[in-house]
Amino acid sequence: MPTYRGSCHCGAVRFEVDAVIDRVTECNCTLCAKKGILHHRVAPGNFRLLSPAQAVGLYQFGTRTAKHFFCPACGIHTHTNPRTAPDMISVNVRTLDDFDLKTANPAIVPFDGQNWEAAAARHR
């Protein structure tokens, strides 16, 4: 399984993820759409935060189930514990330093986050 390195824009938040990225999820909720996030979910054992935990900011809203992690210095969203699977890690593949989205050309799966309850029910 490939290992990818990821980071925020300024490099304060760094991580590694072991994953075969053949599909990503594009959510249209207000947060994901505004940030342009493409999600790829992995088990926690396949994600390693290389920066100190205190270097990472946390944002939560709504039900406060999902945990959205970002760099407080540059504002880049790196990963999430998603509401649909709070025990997993969803990596923003746009923050992977050594993954070429165009070359890899993963399937992009839409998720209707604007209608979260109905969309989540369809994915169970």
Side-chain angles (χ1 to χ4, degrees):
M1 182 175 319
T3 298
Y4 298 101
R5 290 181 158 273
S7 65
C8 64
H9 189 254
C10 71
V13 176
R14 295 175 298 104
F15 64 91
E16 288 181 339
V17 62
D18 302 323
V20 173
I21 305 173
D22 54 359
R23 64 178 263 168
V24 297
T25 301
E26 184 175 36
C27 176
N28 68 353
C29 79
T30 55
L31 182 67
C32 294
K34 287 179 182 280
K35 291 184 177 244
I37 297 168
L38 289 176
H39 298 273
H40 183 76
R41 193 183 299 171
V42 298
N46 290 351
F47 177 86
R48 291 170 299 287
L49 183 63
L50 303 176
S51 299
Q54 61 268 27
V56 182
L58 170 64
Y59 176 69
Q60 292 181 283
F61 65 98
T63 65
R64 302 183 63 82
T65 303
K67 295 179 181 175
H68 303 273
F69 298 101
F70 67 97
C71 174
C74 68
I76 298 299
H77 173 105
T78 53
H79 61 289
T80 301
N81 294 115
R83 183 176 168 198
T84 53
D87 58 328
M88 300 290 279
I89 306 284
S90 178
V91 175
N92 179 1
V93 298
R94 294 185 191 271
T95 64
L96 296 175
D97 301 321
D98 51 359
F99 179 77
D100 185 333
L101 189 59
K102 286 185 181 182
T103 302
N105 196 27
I108 298 176
V109 179
F111 181 80
D112 186 9
Q114 290 183 10
N115 299 291
W116 196 93
E117 297 297 334
R122 285 190 298 274
H123 284 80
R124 290 187 182 133

